[in-house]
Amino acid sequence: PSFSGLTRGFGAERNAVHPHRDPINRPASTIQGTGRARLPQSVLFSARMSADIFSTVNDGVKDAMRAKDKERLQALRGIKAVFQSAAKAKGEDSLPDEECIAVLRKLSKQRQESIDAFSQAGRDELAAAERNELTVINSFLPALADEATTRKWVEEAIAESGATSATMTGKVMGVLMKKHKGEMDGTLAKSLA
């Protein structure tokens, strides 16, 4: 008995007689143009491999431990602790990306304030440690809008809120935060308003 049909496809011997059939013995007309569309492997790979920020930070901790990168490990452990604390406060196991970004922005702002305070006090070694942590935190954050884009958004918010003087900055900022929270630097927007 021949087992070639098991390893090379069913009906392999018949293909010589019926060249218009595929190895599963279907007519060629039913094969072409039917079935689901195939995505390129790179798209499938990137869709499978895209992880949320929470998981990426956890994996980063493991990678930093393996690489024995103490500064990065310390920063990632700090981020992970804040993420876990926020998730625990909500009664969940992890946080969605939007909330992770909000937490990271808060951490970034805290680090920047610490850097300024340490620099003014002449504590350069502590400022350098905070800069390292800020670099790690910013590596997980999406880029903020540039000044030109922020200026355009501020002008739109002024028109929408009907603000006529500088005392109405709160209304303008309210409109801006509703539409573009997390996409722009609030300090820059406030200075432009």
Side-chain angles (χ1 to χ4, degrees), residues 89-103:
K90 291 186 71 176
E92 297 178 5
D93 292 335
S94 67
L95 292 174
D97 280 353
E98 299 81 32
E99 293 178 28
C100 286
I101 289 172
V103 168

Side-chain angles (χ1 to χ4, degrees), residues 146-164 168-169 171-173 175-177 179-180 184 188-193:
D146 62 347
E147 186 176 347
T149 306
T150 305
R151 186 179 302 276
K152 180 180 152 210
W153 290 342
V154 167
E155 290 168 1
E156 291 171 1
I158 290 171
E160 186 175 327
S161 67
T164 55
M168 301 178 92
T169 304
K171 282 186 174 181
V172 174
M173 291 304 292
V175 171
L176 276 173
M177 288 300 154
K179 290 185 173 182
H180 304 291
M184 64 177 184
L188 175 63
K190 197 168 187 178
S191 69
L192 293 173

Side-chain angles (χ1 to χ4, degrees), residues 8-162:
R8 295 192 186 118
F10 296 106
E13 300 84 12
R14 279 187 261 152
N15 280 348
V17 178
H18 301 288
H20 57 279
R21 295 189 172 267
D22 75 335
I24 302 176
N25 203 20
R26 293 180 297 191
S29 61
T30 61
I31 302 164
Q32 298 170 353
T34 62
R36 67 183 176 118
R38 302 279 182 195
L39 294 172
Q41 184 171 351
S42 60
V43 174
L44 290 173
F45 182 74
S46 64
R48 258 182 299 176
M49 295 308 291
S50 65
D52 58 344
I53 296 173
F54 193 90
S55 301
T56 306
V57 169
N58 286 335
D59 294 342
V61 168
K62 294 173 193 169
D63 293 341
M65 288 171 104
R66 285 187 200 114
K68 297 183 179 168
D69 187 354
K70 289 183 180 179
E71 287 99 20
R72 184 168 175 80
L73 178 61
Q74 181 180 358
L76 288 170
R77 280 182 173 161
I79 294 169
K80 182 178 175 180
V82 173
F83 281 177
Q84 288 176 334
S85 173
K88 187 175 181 181
K90 291 186 71 176
E92 297 178 5
D93 292 335
S94 67
L95 292 174
D97 280 353
E98 299 81 32
E99 293 178 28
C100 286
I101 289 172
V103 168
L104 287 170
R105 293 238 186 262
K106 184 177 177 184
L107 289 174
S108 177
K109 186 176 180 182
Q110 288 173 349
R111 294 301 177 277
Q112 191 59 52
E113 290 170 356
S114 297
I115 290 168
D116 295 341
F118 288 140
S119 296
Q120 288 175 356
R123 304 290 307 265
D124 294 331
E125 69 282 350
L126 294 175
E130 292 291 319
R131 275 191 202 91
N132 287 339
E133 287 191 24
L134 181 62
T135 302
V136 173
I137 291 167
N138 288 339
S139 69
F140 293 102
L141 285 171
L144 293 174
D146 62 347
E147 186 176 347
T149 306
T150 305
R151 186 179 302 276
K152 180 180 152 210
W153 290 342
V154 167
E155 290 168 1
E156 291 171 1
I158 290 171
E160 186 175 327
S161 67

